[in-house]
Amino acid sequence: MFCLQAGAAMAQAAAGHEFDTAVAALPTASYLEKEELAGRIARSAHPQALTLLRGWLDGKLHADAAGHAYLEGEGGYTDALSGAAATPASPDELEKIGTNNRLRKALKGLLAQFGLASAEPGMRIEAVREMRRELDESAVAALQARLPQETDAAVKHEIELALALAGLASEEPAQRLAAIASLDGDRSTEVYNRLSRMASGDEADADAAVRNAAGAAVRSIDSWRSFYQGVETLFFGLSLGSVLVLAAIGLAITFGVMGVINMAHGELIMLGAYTAYVMQLLMPQNTGLALLLSIPAAFLVSGAFGVAIERVIVRHLYGRPLETLLATFGLSLVLQQLVRSIFSANNRPVAIPEFMSGVWQINDVFSITYNRLYILIFALMVFALLLGVLKRTSLGLKVRAVSQNRGMAKAMGVRTDWVDAATFGLGAGIAGIAGVALSQLTNVGPNLGQAYIIDSFMVVVFGGVGNLWGTLIGGMALGVVNKLLEPYAGAVLAKILVLVALILFIQRKPRGLFPQKGRAAEGH
Amino acid sequence: MSTAAEPAAPRPAFKPAPPTPYQVMMREDRPSGVFLTVLAIVTLLVPILHLAVPEGHVLHLSGYTVTLIGKYMCYALLAVAVDLIWGYCGILSLGHTAFFALGGYAMGMYLMRQIGTRGVYGDPVLPDFMVFLNWKELPWFWHGMDVFPFAMLMVLFAPGLLAGVFGWLAFRSRVTGVYLSIITQALTYALLLAFFRNEMGFGGNNGLTDFKDLLGFDLKHPETRIVLFMATAVALGAGYFTCRAIVRSRFGRVVQAIRDAESRARFIGYRVENYKLWLFTFSAMLAGVAGALYVPQVGIINPGEFAPINSIEVVIWVAVGGRGTLYGAVVGAIMVNYAKTVMTDALPDAWLYVLGALFVVVTLFLPRGVVGLLPDLKHKLQTLRQRRARAIST
Amino acid sequence: MNAPTSMGMAGRFGGAFGRVLQRRGSSSAPSLDLTHNIILYVEGVTVSFDGFRALNDLSLYVAPGELRCIIGPNGAGKTTMMDVITGKTRPDTGSVWFGQTLDLLTLGEPEIAQAGIGRKFQKPTVFSEHSVFENLELAMAGDKSVWKMLFARLTPEQLTRIDEVLETIGLKDHRSARAGSLSHGQKQWLEIGMLLMQDPALLLVDEPVAGMTPQETERTAELLTSLAGKHSVVVVEHDMNFVRSIARTVTVLHQGSVLAEGTIDEVQNDPKVIEVYLGEPRC
């Protein structure tokens, strides 16, 4: 026991010496010498060795004129030898201890070997992945040495993968075949690229059996990849669909339920987006809270505009849809110009708060950005809420009553003008909410609404006027079809194709996917 | 509306010379008579004031003004085309500038082919933008566009074909009202996106421009300008006259019956879709002619012409002037565009406010437009006079 | 029979029709095959809207020259039946034939009208922006194709015909009045006039005397009676006195199918009819 401790202490002292001399030699060494010195530093197993090598790789290792090395950190400089805080005499004269590509590669390899010995499984995985990039003999030896000792399953898997990849490069076809077999089930991009290079092309394997095996493996991965690419396309489609649904659902109320064409609907969306922008201006420190608060704020702003539009213009034009269309179109021009006058014609940035940003990487092929995911969920929530309002509340009852038989509703004491204003306000308010969601996906500018108005109408008409479920399904379907076409036709052509298909569809089924039937529908 | 159906009155023994068609028009349809007279005077006067009156003289008309009036006349023809289907048949097209632009592109293609080796790249066949895109040969639809009569045929054919196919689909399946309006808007929007694409072969974003000459005449020469101007005036006059003949025929009365009670018209045996299709296609061709005359005067055609807002602006010209009267469409087109010229010069930011307000005010307070005010005014004056007369007599 | 052929046929004899019809009665129209002495077959027609059966296996036959009255409570399917015959509504099942050869279910509204079925609507729908004269001109029988109409001029015979009808419907003094400015009763007359101008072989008349004075009602009754014989007339009416004054055969509709058929006295004494329709105080 004592003996062991003493030995350790002695070794440490020796390491200290080895480390110090190697570091001291660094500032004047050539690149080739530096590589050799780096190896010595790593082998010294000095407690500062890892930090120093990492700092060096990052370009943070400096030396003063006297050859004393410092590491640059967040808060200032530290002594490279001891790790203690230190202040160089003249920071301006410090010179970086440079690296070149070859040296950096060597440093990475050394760091990886360090990592392999780390106590943290996560660090070990990182190290194995790092080593996989350049699997030379020493790395393979290190990994093979590590494998029997490794206890963590994930790390073990990574090491096996690395060894299998190394096996692919083996001279013996049998070993390569074995490596391919052992890679079965691994679908990472790395393996895929390696195997597909082996299966065909300029670098194809010399041995036919290996080529076939690699080919079979590639095909199996291909089908898996195309499945997830399909899932990803579906997600993108649903994401686009959720935006369309958000934009269209307010319209489904004003146009679908009330039968009022509101061409200023897009501008109500735009007002919602600008509300999100203004809320962020009001509380710049807390963008997340600002975004959440802008949802009710946008509802109120756009809703108020909606009520005003209904009371001042639309009310006088009931039963004259074409006139309503023109008047509200004029209004949309005025609103656009108003925004241009107040906020300028340039796009305004709306920050994406922390919790909305980032990517959820599900596997090598399939990842989801959080903002799209949240907006998809948000769209469904808004839809459910609206459905609830229409089906379960007394306002909803009155809205449906007025839309079905205005005269009778009036006779039964429903204040139809109040209901009209409230319905229109509701549709407009939802447009505002849609604007908040859009501010997280696209630029906020005066033309924001214009881009969505035709799409929104198409969604409502496609789904069937007066049918909220139709709007949901119609919007989602259009989004998915659009995204399905995009890889073949390109974004613009896909949009054109969808528009043309819609025009043809409406001509075949003028009442949309889910038409209202019966006498009431016939009468209009 | 029409008196063609009245039985002929027995002729008196002495009859002065029968009235000329002009006198008949002035009696039956004074506004049309006045409009065509004014148009004729303008057509004769403008060339004199531009060419014969020396520059610097008070009465001299600058080239800019001549082109401006020419542009207004193109707009007026487009407005007449829109009024023909909206005012008389209730089809509110929010995509009529698509036909205008197609006519314009057909003319633009002809003008492009006329440039020949004078282009930047000097290719005898390919227009500059194709050389720039590294295209090796002319796309099929550019063939023959260097032949003037063929290009002019295309001016009619391209918008006519689109309107025919679109109308056949839409009217046969009875898409009406706002649905029709919105899909016409989607149509022009889809074309806008399509023409922005370089692959379409219409010059993409930049469109067609840098025109040199038309039928060998330099577009920059005052004489060419005047000939173009007069051609536009003749087209407007002829277009107006044809539309007037159409709406006053029995066909016109059927079309107006369809506007007022479409299903009733079906039940007395009219194939409504054929009537609408015919009128829509004719109107689209008229718009195409307006576009073809517009392009050489302004010197460019680009996808911006397809923008849905342009189509809606045309609708507001008609609404301001007074839909359902052809002269109202002309008056509206000229009034609104003159206001636009003046305002965008003086107060560019205010123009959209004014335009937007026009939409609202006209639909709320002036359903029959400016020309609708005239009979009202006359009527008021008459009752006022009568009341005064009565007050005096009692 | 496929659709294009039938449409072509309808169009072809549509032109000839107008000329022939004025002298019909003894001579029958060439393509309207009345060999079995039935002008209209409605057989097993069912129409449902959202599960509600507006017509339920309805069968009805009308003979040439017959004047048939159809009565029934609200919602019995009277208007839907007319919609089916005139091509506005397509039935779920059943067949509708005009004479022996014309399958009405393959034709559109204009073709059916051209084939010789005229309809007067419950709510008078005249072209309100057109003059009375123009309304009659619009309704006039003849070739109604686009090209014909673009260059058509009225012939002296056609003018005479319009004047005759103006006289018949009592609107001679309102010849150039805007139809929208007429009173409700006058609009009813104008619509009847339009029906006369169409000169159809079969007239479907929906509540012709609603809003008319007793004198006008009487005149309408006279007019309809005089039309029968030369034309077949089907009248839907609520006014029992009016029905009594014109009807020879009465059909009672109830819940989308025929409940009873016979003379006015027969149906009025039918216990089923009394129960559903006349059971309440006789009006």
Side-chain angles (χ1 to χ4, degrees):
Chain A
M1 188 73 178
F2 169 79
C3 182
L4 203 75
Q5 274 182 353
M10 267 170 64
Q12 220 161 29
H17 178 71
E18 176 79 4
F19 180 71
D20 289 356
T21 50
V23 173
L26 276 179
T28 52
S30 73
Y31 283 123
L32 265 179
E33 288 164 347
K34 277 179 186 167
E35 197 176 329
E36 199 265 320
L37 288 171
R40 274 167 60 192
I41 292 171
R43 280 191 297 276
S44 75
H46 188 272
Q48 269 306 106
L50 180 63
T51 326
L52 185 133
L53 290 176
R54 195 168 281 154
W56 190 9
L57 185 64
D58 293 344
K60 300 273 170 68
L61 184 65
H62 306 270
D64 62 10
H68 197 88
Y70 294 93
L71 270 175
E72 185 190 342
E74 295 263 313
Y77 288 93
T78 53
D79 188 306
L81 294 176
S82 66
T87 316
S90 45
D92 295 342
E93 286 173 22
L94 286 181
E95 222 164 280
K96 197 165 95 176
I97 297 178
T99 55
N100 65 1
N101 277 342
R102 190 190 149 115
L103 183 52
R104 275 196 295 276
K105 205 185 271 176
L107 283 173
K108 278 180 195 163
L110 290 171
L111 281 170
Q113 282 173 21
F114 260 110
L116 210 54
S118 161
E120 280 284 314
M123 295 282 287
R124 295 205 293 278
I125 290 180
E126 278 300 308
V128 178
R129 284 190 181 157
E130 185 59 45
M131 289 169 83
R132 271 210 314 257
R133 288 182 197 200
E134 193 70 25
L135 280 167
D136 50 19
E137 273 170 44
S138 67
V140 171
L143 287 170
Q144 270 167 344
R146 178 71 205 173
L147 188 60
Q149 312 163 24
E150 184 55 60
T151 48
D152 188 278
V155 182
K156 216 169 186 156
H157 175 77
E158 291 288 333
I159 294 176
E160 279 163 357
L161 175 61
L163 290 175
L165 282 172
L168 289 180
S170 156
E171 300 281 309
E172 284 296 310
Q175 281 201 14
R176 294 202 295 273
L177 273 178
I180 292 173
S182 71
L183 281 172
D184 182 37
D186 192 298
R187 293 147 175 155
S188 61
T189 312
E190 200 179 353
V191 173
Y192 178 74
N193 290 345
R194 264 306 275 286
L195 287 175
S196 43
R197 273 205 303 274
M198 286 173 78
S200 57
D202 299 339
E203 300 170 43
D205 199 280
D207 188 273
V210 176
R211 273 204 307 276
N212 286 340
V218 165
R219 276 191 297 280
S220 135
I221 300 177
D222 265 338
S223 68
W224 174 85
R225 281 169 79 97
S226 62
F227 170 74
Y228 273 100
Q229 271 157 0
V231 172
E232 189 176 58
T233 309
L234 186 71
F235 173 74
F236 277 136
L238 289 178
S239 168
L240 176 64
S242 68
V243 170
L244 290 176
V245 168
L246 269 177
I249 198 150
L251 206 66
I253 304 276
T254 50
F255 178 46
V257 178
M258 297 175 76
V260 170
I261 297 289
N262 179 17
M263 293 299 274
H265 182 77
E267 278 58 41
L268 292 170
I269 296 177
M270 173 199 74
L271 287 178
Y274 272 95
T275 309
Y277 166 67
V278 171
M279 289 301 282
Q280 283 199 349
L281 284 189
L282 291 179
M283 38 179 102
Q285 331 70 351
N286 199 340
T287 49
L289 185 66
L291 187 70
L292 290 180
L293 285 181
S294 28
I295 294 171
F299 184 85
L300 291 179
V301 170
S302 294
F305 267 95
V307 170
I309 294 172
E310 201 278 339
R311 284 290 89 184
V312 178
I313 298 175
V314 171
R315 168 166 82 102
H316 302 287
L317 298 170
Y318 280 125
R320 288 157 66 197
L322 294 181
E323 276 82 354
T324 317
L325 187 155
L326 291 177
T328 50
F329 185 85
L331 201 73
S332 76
L333 294 181
V334 171
L335 287 176
Q336 278 173 34
Q337 190 59 31
L338 195 69
V339 165
R340 256 182 228 121
S341 304
I342 298 174
F343 296 101
S344 99
N346 298 329
N347 286 338
R348 296 280 123 188
V350 175
I352 298 176
E354 196 88 2
F355 68 89
M356 292 276 286
S357 45
V359 181
W360 179 14
Q361 189 79 39
I362 293 168
N363 58 41
D364 274 21
V365 202
F366 181 34
S367 63
I368 287 176
T369 54
Y370 281 116
N371 59 348
R372 291 197 172 271
L373 182 66
Y374 285 137
I375 286 170
L376 177 58
I377 296 169
F378 182 66
L380 294 176
M381 277 163 52
V382 171
F383 176 79
L385 196 73
L386 196 62
L387 208 61
V389 167
L390 283 183
K391 289 268 150 81
R392 296 280 150 84
T393 64
S394 96
L395 172 68
L397 183 69
K398 285 173 186 163
V399 168
R400 282 180 293 141
V402 172
S403 80
Q404 276 162 26
N405 192 334
R406 173 172 295 272
M408 182 58 86
K410 207 170 185 168
M412 295 184 64
V414 177
R415 288 182 51 193
T416 49
D417 53 347
W418 185 88
V419 171
D420 286 335
T423 317
F424 205 86
L426 180 67
I430 292 197
I433 291 181
V436 177
L438 281 180
S439 75
Q440 297 295 304
L441 289 177
T442 91
N443 294 325
V444 175
N447 296 330
L448 172 75
Q450 266 188 331
Y452 286 94
I453 185 73
I454 293 180
D455 288 342
S456 304
F457 269 111
M458 286 293 157
V459 167
V460 175
V461 173
F462 176 60
V465 174
N467 187 328
L468 277 189
W469 283 102
T471 304
L472 179 72
I473 293 167
M476 290 297 181
L478 285 185
V480 171
V481 168
N482 213 326
K483 287 291 168 190
L484 280 178
L485 284 176
E486 252 176 39
Y488 307 103
V492 178
L493 199 58
K495 198 162 171 52
I496 297 170
L497 287 176
V498 168
L499 269 180
V500 171
L502 263 180
I503 292 174
L504 291 176
F505 174 84
I506 291 170
Q507 285 165 346
R508 283 230 67 82
K509 291 194 76 171
R511 286 166 198 278
L513 272 182
F514 304 102
Q516 282 188 313
K517 280 188 194 157
R519 275 193 148 181
E522 294 284 313
H524 298 292
Chain B
M1 200 166 287
S2 151
T3 53
E6 305 278 345
R11 274 188 186 207
F14 290 104
K15 192 169 161 81
T20 61
Y22 180 72
Q23 284 168 327
V24 173
M25 190 195 277
M26 278 310 244
R27 197 177 58 220
E28 288 178 3
D29 182 11
R30 196 176 192 92
S32 290
V34 171
F35 162 66
L36 290 173
T37 313
V38 170
L39 183 67
I41 294 170
V42 168
T43 313
L44 295 175
L45 212 58
V46 165
I48 297 171
L49 294 183
H50 182 54
L51 297 177
V53 178
E55 243 171 277
H57 194 279
V58 198
L59 290 176
H60 176 78
L61 276 185
S62 67
Y64 170 79
T65 316
V66 174
T67 306
L68 195 65
I69 301 177
K71 255 170 71 179
Y72 287 172
M73 292 199 298
C74 292
Y75 290 147
L77 186 56
L78 177 59
V80 167
V82 169
D83 192 24
L84 185 66
I85 53 166
W86 183 36
Y88 289 89
C89 198
I91 303 169
L92 175 55
S93 166
L94 297 184
H96 236 54
T97 44
F99 307 122
F100 181 83
L102 283 179
Y105 265 100
M107 175 61 103
M109 286 161 85
Y110 165 75
L111 294 172
M112 279 313 254
R113 297 288 308 268
Q114 295 309 106
I115 297 173
T117 51
R118 287 167 296 174
V120 178
Y121 296 105
D123 192 297
V125 178
L126 295 186
D128 276 349
F129 75 89
M130 292 190 195
V131 181
F132 183 75
L133 288 174
N134 236 339
W135 289 13
K136 294 293 169 238
E137 54 184 294
L138 217 53
W140 61 270
F141 47 86
W142 277 78
H143 285 284
M145 292 307 282
D146 52 336
V147 183
F148 186 74
F150 180 76
M152 291 309 100
L153 205 64
M154 286 300 121
V155 163
L156 294 174
F157 183 74
L161 180 71
L162 178 67
V165 172
F166 179 85
W168 186 75
L169 286 166
F171 300 138
R172 197 183 47 133
S173 42
R174 301 193 186 171
V175 180
T176 55
V178 288
Y179 288 86
L180 187 77
S181 304
I182 287 165
I183 60 170
T184 52
Q185 195 180 11
L187 174 79
T188 193
Y189 185 60
L191 283 168
L192 169 76
L193 292 177
F195 272 72
F196 263 123
R197 287 162 47 89
N198 279 330
E199 296 83 354
M200 281 288 284
F202 293 104
N205 199 5
N206 298 325
L208 309 175
T209 187
D210 290 334
F211 308 133
K212 303 286 188 237
D213 49 26
L214 174 66
L215 288 171
F217 298 102
D218 191 334
L219 285 170
K220 291 195 184 62
H221 276 198
E223 286 83 0
T224 319
R225 193 180 293 142
I226 282 301
V227 170
L228 267 173
F229 171 86
M230 291 178 76
T232 311
V234 169
L236 176 60
Y240 184 95
F241 197 79
T242 315
C243 289
R244 181 176 169 276
I246 288 173
V247 299
R248 291 164 68 90
S249 70
R250 274 183 76 184
F251 172 89
R253 289 198 282 285
V254 174
V255 160
Q256 289 165 67
I258 291 170
R259 173 193 68 193
D260 297 335
E262 178 169 333
S263 68
R264 188 74 179 95
R266 272 202 189 95
F267 283 117
I268 50 176
Y270 293 102
R271 291 196 190 168
V272 167
E273 57 277 16
N274 291 357
Y275 280 80
K276 282 186 170 177
L277 181 60
W278 195 94
L279 198 71
F280 190 69
T281 309
F282 177 79
S283 163
M285 289 170 151
L286 211 56
V289 171
L293 289 162
Y294 177 80
V295 167
Q297 299 190 61
V298 297
I300 184 168
I301 174 84
N302 62 30
E305 295 295 336
F306 285 105
I309 178 158
N310 289 0
S311 291
I312 301 191
E313 248 183 74
V314 182
V315 169
I316 208 64
W317 305 341
V318 177
V320 166
R323 70 177 141 126
T325 54
L326 293 170
Y327 53 90
V330 174
V331 169
I334 291 171
M335 269 176 57
V336 177
N337 279 297
Y338 181 68
K340 185 177 185 175
T341 309
V342 173
M343 294 245 356
T344 46
D345 204 31
L347 287 163
D349 285 345
W351 169 243
L352 274 184
Y353 286 122
V354 172
L355 187 65
L358 265 182
F359 276 94
V360 178
V361 170
V362 168
T363 45
L364 282 181
F365 304 110
L366 276 180
R368 284 185 300 147
V370 175
V371 301
L373 287 176
L374 293 176
D376 284 356
L377 219 61
K378 223 186 240 172
H379 184 71
K380 259 189 203 138
L381 274 178
Q382 246 165 19
T383 46
L384 210 70
R385 220 174 281 151
Q386 277 168 2
R387 216 176 286 158
R388 196 170 298 157
R390 227 176 291 142
I392 291 166
S393 68
T394 49
Chain C
M1 180 195 296
N2 58 19
T5 339
S6 67
M7 280 200 218
M9 189 172 69
R12 217 181 317 127
F13 94 107
F17 214 49
R19 267 168 276 131
V20 173
L21 264 175
Q22 298 192 1
R23 287 180 301 276
R24 204 187 1 203
S26 55
S27 74
S28 64
S31 289
L32 187 59
D33 182 353
L34 301 176
T35 45
H36 290 79
N37 215 30
I38 299 282
I39 191 166
L40 179 73
Y41 293 81
V42 176
E43 284 177 336
V45 168
T46 300
V47 175
S48 40
F49 301 116
D50 267 344
F52 164 71
R53 288 205 161 179
L55 291 183
N56 191 3
D57 198 20
L58 173 78
S59 295
L60 186 81
Y61 307 90
V62 179
E66 183 184 351
L67 199 169
R68 173 74 64 90
C69 276
I70 298 193
I71 59 173
N74 279 330
K78 301 173 302 246
T79 301
T80 308
M81 181 196 76
M82 291 211 173
D83 286 347
V84 169
I85 298 170
T86 51
K88 188 180 176 201
T89 303
R90 294 277 178 233
D92 303 334
T93 56
S95 56
V96 183
W97 290 79
F98 191 42
Q100 298 300 312
T101 48
L102 278 179
D103 181 358
L104 293 184
L105 298 186
T106 61
L107 303 180
E109 295 105 313
E111 288 80 26
I112 293 175
Q114 287 285 46
I117 296 183
R119 178 172 182 186
K120 193 204 97 47
F121 286 80
Q122 192 172 343
K123 197 173 131 219
T125 37
V126 295
F127 299 108
S128 52
E129 295 296 316
H130 291 65
S131 70
V132 169
F133 178 90
E134 286 166 347
N135 266 280
L136 295 178
E137 182 199 38
L138 280 168
M140 188 162 52
D143 187 347
K144 287 176 175 166
S145 68
V146 169
W147 285 107
K148 199 80 186 174
M149 280 297 138
L150 264 174
F151 303 106
R153 297 237 169 252
L154 287 175
T155 61
E157 295 84 49
Q158 287 173 324
L159 274 171
T160 320
R161 176 73 187 140
I162 293 177
D163 281 333
E164 274 172 30
V165 171
L166 276 171
E167 188 94 49
T168 315
I169 60 176
L171 289 176
K172 207 166 178 162
D173 299 337
H174 295 83
R175 184 189 170 93
S176 33
R178 225 171 53 93
S181 67
L182 298 178
S183 72
H184 184 80
Q186 285 172 321
K187 280 184 192 159
Q188 292 274 38
W189 277 109
L190 178 54
E191 235 196 282
I192 293 172
M194 289 165 75
L195 207 51
L196 295 176
M197 290 304 300
Q198 269 179 277
D199 205 6
L202 171 66
L203 288 81
L204 304 175
V205 190
D206 204 346
E207 301 199 15
V209 297
M212 282 188 176
T213 62
Q215 289 87 342
E216 283 177 325
T217 305
E218 200 174 311
R219 266 181 60 206
T220 310
E222 269 169 36
L223 181 69
L224 289 178
T225 323
S226 73
L227 285 172
K230 280 186 289 179
H231 313 253
S232 308
V233 184
V234 174
V235 182
V236 166
E237 190 45 81
H238 278 304
D239 184 334
M240 287 310 292
N241 288 329
F242 177 74
V243 171
R244 178 170 287 279
S245 69
I246 61 168
R248 285 146 226 184
T249 317
V250 176
T251 302
V252 184
L253 289 194
H254 178 57
Q255 288 178 352
S257 42
V258 174
L259 184 71
E261 203 165 275
T263 65
I264 183 89
D265 291 319
E266 280 166 18
V267 298
Q268 267 182 321
N269 294 321
D270 188 318
K272 285 183 296 184
V273 176
I274 293 169
E275 190 187 329
V276 303
Y277 186 59
L278 303 165
E280 291 146 76
R282 285 192 179 198
C283 44

